[in-house]
Amino acid sequence: IAGITQAPTSQILAAGRRMTLRCTQDMRHNAMYWYRQDLGLGLRLIHYSNTAGTTGKGEVPDGYSVSRANTDDFPLTLASAVPSQTSVYFCASSLTGGLTGELFFGEGSRLTVL
Amino acid sequence: GQNIDQPTEMTATEGAIVQINCTYQTSGFNGLFWYQQHAGEAPTFLSYNVLDGLEEKGRFSSFLSRSKGYSYLLLKELQMKDSASYLCAVGDSNYQLIWGAGTKLIIKP
């Protein structure tokens, strides 16, 4: 089934540890995004990529990094996790960037930093 | 600052009609989106408005007034499966989506 796959679905992590959340899509979409969702707040954009080889910072990029080596993969790395990064992380994609179409979301990765 | 406001929670009866409002203040406007999110699941796209007026899609309709910074999502013939959170999002001048916190809709039999 075509779509977006995220891994892991859930993780408990000690503060200070490095963590990479994986995201793969098979829809050949050019644009990909990482959001975090916290209770009582709207989705907040962490980083985005409008095409393979390029990335950009969103609203809350500090403490996170991304890479886009190819069209399909868009991993999100927490270099040294802190408790405030406890959240549900959603990867999303769209055919193109620039809000020209709907976003397709992965099922989310629930991260707890202790 | 940029702001999207929508009610935190609403309750409606199965078979009825409900209107979920969204007001926004953003730097620029590049479209307004509505997404549905069931508990523990990913958001899924419902509608997109870029011009003023009503867009109808089956039981769901979305309305936009750019001059008032206002939109609503209208759900007709409510079903139990419509129990979910409804997220309003607006594209700003940088073509980034600004998201509201969502409205949790509870459907009662």
Side-chain angles (χ1 to χ4, degrees), chain A residues 35 37 40-45 48 57-59 90 98-99 101-108 110, chain B residues 30-31 33 35 37 40-45 48 87 90-92 95-102:
Chain A
Y35 285 94
Q37 187 173 41
L41 298 177
L43 287 162
R44 291 182 292 170
L45 182 65
Y48 66 94
K57 294 182 179 181
E59 181 186 355
F90 285 101
L99 300 177
E102 67 179 277
L103 294 179
F104 294 82
F105 286 84
E107 291 302 310
R110 182 174 295 274
Chain B
N30 281 295
F33 296 79
Y35 281 77
Q37 185 177 26
E41 298 184 7
T44 55
F45 172 81
Y48 170 63
L87 314 181
V90 176
D92 70 6
Y95 293 91
Q96 300 288 0
L97 279 179
I98 309 300
W99 295 79

Side-chain angles (χ1 to χ4, degrees), chain B residues 29-99:
Chain B
F29 178 82
N30 281 295
L32 186 143
F33 296 79
W34 284 96
Y35 281 77
Q36 180 189 60
Q37 185 177 26
H38 286 100
E41 298 184 7
T44 55
F45 172 81
L46 287 178
S47 69
Y48 170 63
N49 293 71
V50 65
L51 299 175
D52 290 351
L54 188 68
E55 294 280 343
E56 297 186 80
K57 190 185 295 185
R59 294 188 298 115
F60 292 9
S61 302
S62 57
F63 172 82
L64 173 66
S65 169
R66 288 172 295 170
S67 63
K68 295 182 179 179
Y70 168 69
S71 172
Y72 67 73
L73 181 68
L74 191 71
L75 291 74
K76 303 176 184 177
E77 302 170 12
L78 286 170
Q79 302 175 10
M80 297 303 293
K81 68 178 181 179
D82 297 331
S83 291
S85 289
Y86 292 86
L87 314 181
C88 174
V90 176
D92 70 6
S93 57
N94 293 319
Y95 293 91
Q96 300 288 0
L97 279 179
I98 309 300
W99 295 79

Side-chain angles (χ1 to χ4, degrees), chain A residues 13-57:
Chain A
L13 187 67
R17 297 298 295 269
R18 180 183 179 89
M19 178 72 194
T20 295
L21 303 180
R22 300 184 297 279
C23 176
T24 301
Q25 54 104 356
D26 60 3
M27 297 177 284
R28 307 305 293 172
H29 283 176
N30 286 309
M32 297 188 74
Y33 313 83
W34 274 105
Y35 285 94
R36 59 177 291 172
Q37 187 173 41
D38 301 291
L39 196 63
L41 298 177
L43 287 162
R44 291 182 292 170
L45 182 65
I46 304 170
H47 285 287
Y48 66 94
S49 169
N50 285 331
T51 188
T54 69
T55 62
K57 294 182 179 181

Side-chain angles (χ1 to χ4, degrees), chain B residues 7-20 36-39 75 78-86 102-109:
Chain B
T8 302
E9 186 174 295
M10 300 181 70
T11 302
T13 304
E14 189 177 16
I17 299 173
V18 71
Q19 177 175 311
I20 301 174
Q36 180 189 60
Q37 185 177 26
H38 286 100
L75 291 74
L78 286 170
Q79 302 175 10
M80 297 303 293
K81 68 178 181 179
D82 297 331
S83 291
S85 289
Y86 292 86
T103 298
K104 182 178 181 180
L105 178 63
I106 300 168
I107 310 297
K108 296 185 175 180

